[in-house]
Amino acid sequence: MTLGAGRAGRPTLAVVGATGAVGTVMLQILSQHADIWGEIRLIASPRSAGRKLTVRGEQVEVVALSEEAFDGVQVAMFDVPDEVSAQWAPIAAAKGVVVVDNSGAFRMDPEVPLVVPEVNAHAARMRPRGIIANPNCTTLSMIVALGALHAEFGLRELVVSSYQAVSGAGRAGVETLRRQLAMVAGTELGTSPGDVRRAVGDDTGPFPEPVALNVVPWAGSLREDGWSSEEMKVRDECRKILGLSRLPVAVTCVRVPVVTTHSLTVHARFESEVTVDKAREILATAPGVVLFDNPAAGEFPTPADVVGTDPTWVGRVRRALDDPTALELFVCGDNLRKGSALNTAQIAELVAAEYR
Ligand SMILES: NC(=O)c1ccc[n+]([C@@H]2O[C@H](COP(=O)([O-])OP(=O)(O)OC[C@H]3O[C@@H](n4cnc5c(N)ncnc54)[C@H](OP(=O)(O)O)[C@@H]3O)[C@@H](O)[C@H]2O)c1
């Protein structure tokens, strides 16, 4: 690829997993953000080698993942499955590349910082393994708002339910919902037990149940005592990012028939009494947060409006009826933007600033 005018001397970036759900949004974000990179190298599996993708208005050929693909690279974003990151991120790091990893492979490694720039940007500088981890999309969909409230009030307990979009399960999740929607559209299905299941068939893609005309109280794999891996991730990651290693956290993760944008109800208990006015003031001024909360006018965030936007949107701000130290919130965040690609890009930009 030919470097654009003025790009010489800037750090070279590799996007590993450029063809995936997150990678696709990443290329859009890299095309929209300030052009701070020299070469942008696109990497995926050998299946995609030779494909051309557009980034910064230029066609770039995808190369297969290999050790040589990291030659001359300063920063690499990994948007690939856990096992691919687990194998290849240390190989890239051993070549001096700073890896920003979007998978779950390193998030709880004590030698890998887990970074949300609005909350703990300082942590990105301490990376003994040369790897920085990006949190899970469900954690990221609320943590910027929670971090701002924690800084003022001091978080003491968290109870969360998620309403997660199918793109959180990658391209396969989106394809499954669209296929099932086509099968049930224009029918009277959803009125007797099992009618939706019979219509969509046994292939429910990455989900254990039909997701069209349904809600599925499950995301991830089974962990101890009936908890799901997604629920454990939210708990562990919130604790690590906020530096609250013993924070009580209860999470229930639910999949809903939304393409992109996770929603969450949040019950957050703080050190002392809170007021809605103060909470609204904090949320209205916190970087990366939009307060959209006027139920009388029918104004609260929903995925249909939030999708494709960068901020964490917060509405339905109420003080708990039975506990003056607790707030109830409804939060929406695009799981492919702040929930993954945007946060990764922001971390990579923090690292790139070190090269100036
Ligand atoms: N979707 C979300 O909301 C979300 C949010 C946060 C984090 N994440 C994480 O981000 C990562 C990517 O997720 P996704 O949803 O974008 O998945 P996806 O749509 O399935 O895309 C996977 C990407 O990884 C590449 N890949 C797969 N196996 C590979 C291999 N052996 N060598 C090289 N490249 C390989 C694929 O390349 P080919 O096209 O060539 O197969 C593709 O570019 C996952 O770890 C996921 O958990 C996802």
Side-chain angles (χ1 to χ4, degrees):
M1 175 191 138
T2 320
L3 289 187
R7 285 189 190 148
R10 296 184 192 174
T12 293
L13 173 72
V15 182
V16 188
T19 52
V22 175
T24 302
V25 174
M26 184 65 80
L27 300 192
Q28 292 164 10
I29 288 173
L30 290 170
S31 306
Q32 291 159 353
H33 279 203
D35 188 8
I36 60 163
W37 303 104
E39 180 188 353
I40 296 182
R41 197 170 301 167
L42 306 186
I43 301 175
S45 80
R47 295 180 289 275
S48 303
R51 262 183 76 187
K52 291 214 165 104
L53 301 175
T54 303
V55 60
R56 298 184 296 191
E58 295 163 14
Q59 291 263 295
V60 179
E61 190 169 311
V62 176
V63 298
L65 181 56
S66 69
E67 201 170 330
E68 299 71 52
F70 295 104
D71 286 348
V73 171
Q74 274 79 43
V75 182
M77 301 163 166
F78 273 62
D79 302 315
V80 290
D82 291 4
E83 63 280 10
V84 181
S85 281
Q87 181 185 350
W88 286 91
I91 293 172
K95 295 188 80 164
V97 177
V98 178
V99 172
V100 186
D101 182 42
N102 219 330
S103 83
F106 300 99
R107 287 180 190 139
M108 296 317 295
D109 184 325
E111 295 196 309
V112 173
L114 184 63
V115 175
V116 182
E118 294 88 341
V119 182
N120 64 344
H122 60 278
R125 286 190 166 267
M126 288 162 283
R127 41 176 197 256
R129 296 192 64 182
I131 301 171
I132 302 169
N134 194 62
N136 171 267
C137 48
T138 313
T139 308
L140 272 172
S141 297
M142 66 174 170
I143 196 74
V144 177
L146 268 183
L149 292 169
H150 168 59
E152 177 72 24
F153 295 135
L155 190 60
R156 282 292 169 266
E157 186 184 1
L158 201 54
V159 182
V160 174
S161 289
S162 73
Y163 305 75
Q164 294 181 221
V166 294
S167 62
R171 283 174 308 192
V174 177
E175 284 159 17
T176 299
L177 175 62
R178 293 208 187 281
R179 189 176 68 244
Q180 293 182 355
L181 286 176
M183 289 167 165
V184 301
T187 70
E188 300 291 315
L189 290 165
T191 51
S192 64
D195 61 357
V196 172
R197 187 190 310 280
R198 283 190 294 278
V200 304
D202 291 337
D203 179 7
T204 53
F207 311 117
E209 303 288 340
V211 70
L213 302 183
N214 209 6
V215 297
V216 182
W218 192 256
S221 52
L222 183 62
R223 292 291 183 265
E224 264 177 53
D225 297 327
W227 294 96
S228 75
S229 56
E230 188 85 351
E231 291 159 351
M232 298 309 290
K233 282 180 193 174
V234 175
R235 177 177 195 255
D236 293 343
E237 293 175 20
C238 284
R239 287 174 159 191
K240 183 167 175 177
I241 296 160
L242 297 173
L244 298 170
S245 60
R246 300 170 72 88
L247 182 73
V249 183
V251 189
T252 303
C253 287
V254 180
R255 192 76 65 179
V256 294
V258 165
V259 174
T260 295
T261 292
H262 290 349
S263 306
L264 300 104
T265 56
V266 177
H267 170 89
R269 188 170 60 78
F270 298 95
E271 273 166 22
S272 52
E273 235 176 83
V274 293
T275 65
V276 167
D277 282 350
K278 187 65 187 171
R280 291 174 65 95
E281 184 189 316
I282 293 162
L283 294 166
T285 52
V289 177
V290 173
L291 178 68
F292 187 60
D293 188 24
N294 184 0
E299 289 178 353
F300 26 71
T302 68
D305 294 319
V306 166
V307 61
T309 68
D310 286 346
T312 301
W313 295 69
V314 185
R316 306 293 326 278
V317 181
R318 291 148 292 154
R319 193 163 80 165
L321 288 174
D322 302 312
D323 183 351
T325 68
L327 290 169
E328 314 290 345
L329 315 169
F330 185 74
V331 183
C332 284
D334 185 319
N335 52 296
L336 295 177
R337 290 189 76 89
K338 185 61 184 175
S340 50
L342 174 63
N343 199 69
T344 308
Q346 288 175 305
I347 297 171
E349 286 163 7
L350 284 178
V351 176
E354 298 172 15
Y355 288 87
R356 274 182 222 138

